Amino acid sequence: MSTNQDKFKKIVSHAKEYGFIFQSSEIYDGLSAVYDYAQNGVELKNNIKNYWWSSMVQMNDNIVGLDSSILMHPTTWKASGHVDAFNDPLIDNKDSKLRYRADVLIEDYIAKIETKINKEIAKAKKRFGDAFDEDEFRKTNNRVLENQKKIDNTTSKMKKCFEDDDLVSLKQLIVDLEISDPVSGSKNWTDIKQFNLMFSTSIGASSESASEIFLRPETAQGIFVNFLNVQKTSRKKIPFGIAQIGKAFRNEIIARQFIFRMREFEQMEMQFFVKPGTQSKWYESWKENRMKWHKALGLGDENYRFHDHDKLAHYADAACDIEFNFPFGFKELEGIHSRTNFDLTQHEEYSGKKLRYFDPEINESYVPYVVETSIGLDRMFLAVLASSFNEEELKDKNTRIVLKIPGFLSPYKLAILPLVKKDGLSEYAKKIYDDLKAHFNIAYDEKDAVGRRYRRQDAIGTPVCLTVDHDSIKDDSVTLRFRDSMDQIRVKVSEIKKEIDNRINISNWLS
Ligand code: ATP
């Protein structure tokens, strides 16, 4: 097993053991690709939401929020194209009976070649040291060039299959590339079929009067159908945006990789309405803006990259992903799409209601164009969890597991630990807890030796631990111990809030 897979397994079991994520309905053997956020998970998730929401709505005077419902009129999904086109191309392996997304099989094939190129580059880097020029190497090394050619050929063939809606050639591509079932190794494939990803249910009391409706597969349509309501009541002028966080549902077929691909998940989406003709400018500007936002978190700039879509969705004139280096490789974290005026125009047509904006600057009405930023909350959670998970060997040869979560996202900002329960230390510590609990989320723990309590807090990412000892009662001072450095300082009780605030205040990140 590769070290990355190994690390990923550890992260998944850590998430369960330390109360971040549980399998849904576990006592009934679970429901595949559906997860519950546990006591620490829900705190981290809420903090991520809050960070996104504040940076969209609080930091931009031209973006407002919305919370639209999951259930919508069924015509919404006719208009948006989801009934007819929200499909995945699926292929079955006849021997293993396992089902795959055809495009994912091909993308995994490409990723393997990319890994070969990266290995070649790493080797050369080691050999040439400081003198190594990666661009030059990519342009001149025969093995790299050959592999890059394979990637480019495969990408362009796949793109053409999607453009032509040609599933026969797509299957042929899988056969020609000799792609085998990653589980069984078999190359015995069925034809490719389209499969709609929407969950349906029915609304209404009796079976005769009931009609089929869908659980929303994206939050965006709730924003589109409310576009004019929000614009009129907020009196916003174009360009302006509407942000929303909410659940979305997709009947994903390959539901692997933990919370990366779930059937019930949460999206944080912002639709930015712009004047026709200005969409490319706004698309570029949101691309840059979103990348900056990610990098500001400090999970490592090298863990992000853009990936332009090979296959544009039916509504888009430009689209890219921000990919994150998950333990299983670079994969989509956020999508940025220039959605044209497709959605609003479709809703005008299907509803018979005008969804136009009167632009006082040019004295004209038009259907705005839309640039969307759409990030999966659960994928962001996984990115934070995976990149903050560290196993460290300590000076005394023990190891500690520590989640180096950016402090303002940590489930608890502070843990209060009286050295012993007796001699009035508990009472003193509880008073500090009561005085500070209105300011931030605090854990209180007085069980076991203090070293073990530190480890427990390290494992859930608490940035600061505070210990109360016998001197505290005499001099009103406590020891603060910092998660990442394990350094300790002695501070006056009156200084605690300031010390913690400096490290965890969200405004440091927002600005
Ligand atoms: P993928 O190609 O991985 O299926 P997508 O391109 O269909 O994703 P979008 O429709 O662009 O995804 O959705 C926007 C964001 O929602 C994605 O960037 C991702 O972070 C998140 N997302 C989409 N599907 C899922 C899912 N099944 N589970 C968790 N998050 C998801």
Side-chain angles (χ1 to χ4, degrees):
M1 192 187 289
S2 79
T3 44
N4 275 350
Q5 267 175 320
D6 209 25
K7 184 175 175 197
F8 185 44
K9 274 198 154 174
K10 280 187 188 163
I11 292 166
V12 174
S13 54
H14 188 86
K16 180 176 178 195
E17 191 182 341
Y18 285 91
F20 284 90
I21 292 168
F22 302 145
Q23 175 81 55
S24 157
S25 341
E26 197 191 61
I27 59 165
Y28 295 105
D29 294 334
L31 184 64
S32 160
V34 187
Y35 291 91
D36 297 338
Y37 285 83
Q39 69 278 12
N40 293 318
V42 66
E43 297 291 344
L44 173 55
K45 193 181 185 194
N46 283 341
N47 294 338
I48 295 173
K49 271 192 212 181
N50 186 26
Y51 176 46
W52 183 87
W53 189 265
S54 305
S55 40
M56 281 294 176
V57 178
Q58 187 183 329
M59 299 299 287
N60 291 293
D61 68 352
N62 60 353
I63 298 182
V64 293
L66 178 76
D67 183 16
S68 69
S69 48
I70 288 170
L71 303 179
M72 298 180 72
H73 192 285
T75 310
T76 311
W77 307 110
K78 264 310 253 186
S80 68
H82 283 83
V83 170
D84 296 321
F86 194 54
N87 300 320
D88 272 349
L90 297 185
I91 186 165
D92 291 340
N93 186 279
K94 290 185 196 163
D95 297 323
S96 70
K97 308 281 183 251
L98 290 170
R99 181 164 275 191
Y100 296 93
R101 245 171 73 179
D103 54 331
V104 173
L105 282 180
I106 298 170
E107 272 162 18
D108 286 350
Y109 167 88
I110 292 173
K112 272 191 201 143
I113 305 180
E114 259 169 12
T115 309
K116 278 190 197 162
I117 295 181
N118 289 336
K119 272 192 189 148
E120 209 67 65
I121 290 172
K123 247 184 6 203
K125 223 182 225 165
K126 223 172 169 184
R127 190 153 23 105
F128 295 115
D130 287 345
F132 182 66
D133 178 344
E134 184 175 326
D135 282 348
E136 194 55 29
F137 185 76
R138 279 181 182 274
K139 276 189 227 147
T140 50
N141 179 280
N142 280 339
R143 274 192 298 270
V144 171
L145 285 171
E146 220 171 84
N147 278 324
Q148 190 56 49
K149 201 166 150 201
K150 267 191 212 162
I151 293 179
D152 295 343
N153 272 340
T154 309
T155 309
S156 75
K157 279 185 189 157
M158 177 162 81
K159 190 173 169 190
K160 174 129 184 35
C161 292
F162 281 117
E163 277 167 4
D164 300 347
D165 222 348
D166 182 354
L167 297 182
V168 175
S169 303
L170 191 63
K171 173 174 176 192
Q172 195 52 48
L173 183 59
I174 289 178
V175 173
D176 293 346
L177 295 173
E178 300 187 6
I179 294 177
S180 57
D181 177 345
V183 175
S184 68
S186 150
K187 292 177 190 153
N188 195 5
W189 296 109
T190 62
D191 289 341
I192 299 175
K193 281 204 206 85
Q194 294 287 16
F195 174 84
N196 195 291
L197 295 178
M198 281 197 294
F199 280 104
S200 70
T201 181
S202 56
I203 195 164
S206 70
S207 52
E208 295 90 63
S209 64
S211 57
E212 186 188 32
I213 55 165
F214 300 100
L215 302 187
R216 67 180 175 198
E218 62 177 24
T219 56
Q221 298 304 324
I223 294 180
F224 294 132
V225 301
N226 278 301
F227 153 71
L228 214 51
N229 284 338
V230 174
Q231 191 273 320
K232 284 192 170 145
T233 51
S234 67
R235 306 164 64 85
K236 291 286 171 209
K237 288 206 175 100
I238 271 177
F240 80 98
I242 303 178
Q244 163 155 250
I245 300 177
K247 289 262 174 150
F249 302 81
R250 295 181 187 178
N251 195 2
E252 299 278 5
I253 294 311
I254 27 159
R256 288 183 269 143
Q257 294 162 330
F258 196 36
I259 56 170
F260 180 81
R261 190 176 297 287
M262 303 201 286
R263 297 199 165 112
E264 173 179 342
F265 60 100
E266 228 164 321
Q267 289 185 315
M268 307 192 282
E269 295 199 307
M270 194 281 297
Q271 310 293 330
F272 201 69
F273 298 89
V274 306
K275 191 170 162 187
T278 64
Q279 69 272 21
S280 343
K281 183 186 95 188
W282 284 111
Y283 171 71
E284 291 305 327
S285 136
W286 276 109
K287 260 178 84 170
E288 194 188 323
N289 184 313
R290 293 305 300 151
M291 188 57 109
K292 262 196 197 150
W293 182 85
H294 283 286
K295 291 187 173 171
L297 250 192
L299 306 183
D301 287 7
E302 69 287 0
N303 286 323
Y304 299 90
R305 69 180 190 195
F306 284 115
H307 170 78
D308 286 323
H309 281 202
D310 301 320
K311 171 197 163 197
L312 285 182
H314 55 277
Y315 51 72
D317 68 1
C320 70
D321 300 331
I322 292 179
E323 293 187 334
F324 183 77
N325 191 10
F326 289 98
F328 36 84
F330 274 96
K331 296 270 178 205
E332 172 174 353
L333 170 61
E334 169 158 3
I336 297 156
H337 310 127
S338 174
R339 291 183 79 129
T340 68
N341 59 358
F342 175 84
D343 301 271
L344 291 179
T345 309
Q346 288 290 102
H347 288 306
E348 273 202 337
E349 196 176 299
Y350 278 76
S351 67
K353 309 267 167 30
K354 290 259 174 275
L355 290 174
R356 297 186 178 218
Y357 168 78
F358 178 75
D359 192 332
E361 276 174 26
I362 53 170
N363 234 357
E364 245 178 59
S365 292
Y366 54 74
V367 180
Y369 271 53
V370 173
V371 174
E372 159 183 86
T373 72
S374 173
I375 170 170
L377 173 54
D378 314 271
R379 286 191 191 177
M380 177 82 187
F381 185 108
L382 183 57
V384 172
L385 189 68
S387 56
S388 56
F389 181 90
N390 281 279
E391 269 181 303
E392 286 180 354
E393 192 175 323
L394 302 175
K395 280 192 201 120
D396 62 8
K397 295 290 173 212
N398 282 323
T399 50
R400 70 159 183 162
I401 291 183
V402 51
L403 292 187
K404 294 186 172 173
I405 301 175
F408 74 107
L409 295 180
S410 290
Y412 294 99
K413 310 302 180 227
L414 173 68
I416 297 184
L417 321 170
L419 207 54
V420 290
K421 280 189 235 174
K422 50 185 192 196
D423 305 331
L425 266 54
S426 276
E427 289 72 15
Y428 193 88
K430 278 186 186 146
K431 165 122 190 10
I432 299 177
Y433 176 88
D434 283 335
D435 289 346
L436 290 176
K437 70 183 178 192
H439 299 288
F440 29 71
N441 209 17
I442 304 174
Y444 182 87
D445 189 2
E446 53 181 25
K447 238 170 120 190
D448 299 325
V450 76
R452 287 184 69 180
R453 284 182 269 165
Y454 282 153
R455 291 291 168 275
R456 280 205 288 269
Q457 296 303 326
D458 288 344
I460 62 169
T462 308
V464 188
C465 287
L466 176 160
T467 43
V468 170
D469 54 30
H470 289 92
D471 287 341
S472 302
I473 297 180
K474 290 181 222 145
D475 65 2
D476 276 332
S477 295
V478 294
T479 301
L480 297 185
R481 178 259 194 196
F482 302 107
R483 177 193 69 197
D484 297 351
S485 62
M486 295 194 285
D487 290 345
Q488 304 196 354
I489 56 170
R490 193 81 185 163
V491 296
K492 285 278 175 209
V493 169
S494 54
E495 299 286 297
I496 302 169
K497 182 172 175 299
K498 196 181 85 198
E499 285 292 338
I500 311 286
D501 259 343
N502 283 343
R503 289 169 170 85
I504 55 100
N505 205 320
I506 187 172
S507 52
N508 297 341
W509 273 267
L510 287 175
S511 54

